[in-house]
Amino acid sequence: MPAPHGPRRARIAFSDSAAKQLDAITSEAELHALDRALVVVSVDPEAGELLPGDSSAPRLRQYVDDVERVRLVYWVTALKTVVVVAFIEV
C-alpha cells in the first residue's frame, strides 16, 4: 500500500521585479531564510495577512517572519494553486 501524500503545495512563481530581487540576494543565510518563508506560503497560501485594497485587482497578502526577518508580498490565483511573489525583502 503506497504511503499517503501530504497536502498539496502551491506552486511558487515570481514576478519580474521579484526575480530581480531574488537575483540580488548573495548571502547564503538570506537565501535560507527566504526558502523557509516560501515553504510556509506554499503549504498555506493564506498564511499571510490581507493587505488593504479593492476588488478590482488581485488581493495582495503579506507574510512576515520576524524571526528570519523576511517579508513577502504575494497574491494567490483563483485556483489557489499558484502563489505569485510580488516583493521580497530579506
Side-chain angles (χ1 to χ4, degrees):
M1 182 165 144
H5 295 283
R8 183 171 174 234
R9 288 187 179 187
R11 184 179 308 156
I12 304 275
F14 298 96
S15 66
D16 290 341
S17 62
K20 288 178 186 174
Q21 292 169 330
L22 183 61
D23 289 341
I25 298 173
T26 58
S27 163
E28 191 72 29
E30 289 178 346
L31 285 172
H32 179 71
L34 176 61
D35 186 52
R36 290 175 53 108
L38 291 171
V39 166
V40 169
V41 171
S42 73
V43 170
D44 182 8
E46 296 183 9
E49 66 184 53
L50 280 172
L51 295 176
D54 60 29
S55 61
S56 66
R59 290 296 308 264
L60 291 176
R61 300 185 80 84
Q62 172 178 262
Y63 173 78
V64 178
D65 183 331
D66 292 326
V67 174
E68 295 285 352
R69 298 179 58 179
V70 175
R71 178 176 169 235
L72 301 175
V73 176
Y74 64 96
W75 70 90
V76 181
T77 65
L79 297 177
K80 296 189 179 197
T81 58
V82 180
V83 175
V84 180
V85 176
F87 178 79
I88 301 169
E89 183 178 88
V90 181

